[in-house]
Every structure is written in structure tokens, then in C-alpha cells.
Amino acid sequence: MIREALSKTQDYCRIKGTQLAEESGVSQQHWSEYRNGKADVVTVKAAAALEAMERIHPGAIRHFCYLLMSQSIGSDLETLIEVADLEELEEAFGLIGKRIFAKNSADSDLSKRVKSPVALKSK
């Protein structure tokens, strides 16, 4: 679980193996083997890699923690909102607006096509 979250965090933050090796002190080859499940990295090296990711891309630790939380407690909406940064919240608001608009449009179209029983009796 930690290996997968570290690997996804590196990808999400677009951190190159050379950058991570330089910042963490974990060789690029060893990190690659770890990412591919061919080698083990002790907790100290994993922590060093995560701290290096944070120096390279601030917010990497938050993303890593989000991935761990998502795997252990599921996708609780309140938790997702709590860990989201400003850019992610802005994107979420945009998606929510689109969804509400689409639903309202669909409901409006449906109500125009289907007449209520009261409207039918008055004819």
C-alpha cells in the first residue's frame, strides 16, 4: 500500500527518478526496483523519498496521505474535501456546477414532454 502510494505520488507530482535520487539519497536504480516491486525499501528510505518529493513539489506529502486514507477508509466525500488543495476545490466546484446544470436541463426537458395528470384532465 505504501509502495503504491509513493509511486503514484511521484507520478502525480511529475517527479523524475533522477530528481528523487538526488534529493532523497536513494539511488535511482534502487527506487526503480522498489516501484516495480522487485526490491524492498526500509521505512527510513521511504520517508526520505517522501520528504524529497515534498521539497521538489510542495503538497506531495498531502497527496501521499490522501492516497493512504483513500485506500484505508474509502472515498468519504468530507475527507476528500478536507485534503483537497485550492486548485482541486475549484475544479470540484466547476464539475458540481456542470452536473447541476445538466440535471436541471434534463428535468426541465422531461417536464416539458410529460404533461401532468392535472393538465391532461383539464383538456
Side-chain angles (χ1 to χ4, degrees), residues 95-106:
L95 294 171
I96 290 168
K98 285 180 185 177
R99 173 101 186 262
I100 290 171
F101 179 76
K103 177 157 179 26
N104 288 341
S105 294

Side-chain angles (χ1 to χ4, degrees), residues 2 6 9 18-19 28-29 31 34 79 91 100 115:
I2 291 174
L6 279 170
T9 299
T18 53
Q19 285 180 296
Q28 186 176 355
Q29 179 180 349
W31 180 246
Y34 174 67
T79 303
E91 182 180 354
I100 290 171
K115 296 192 180 206

Side-chain angles (χ1 to χ4, degrees), residues 110-123:
L110 182 61
S111 68
K112 288 176 186 174
R113 288 184 295 203
V114 178
K115 296 192 180 206
S116 71
V118 175
L120 292 174
K121 284 184 180 180
S122 66
K123 285 190 171 188

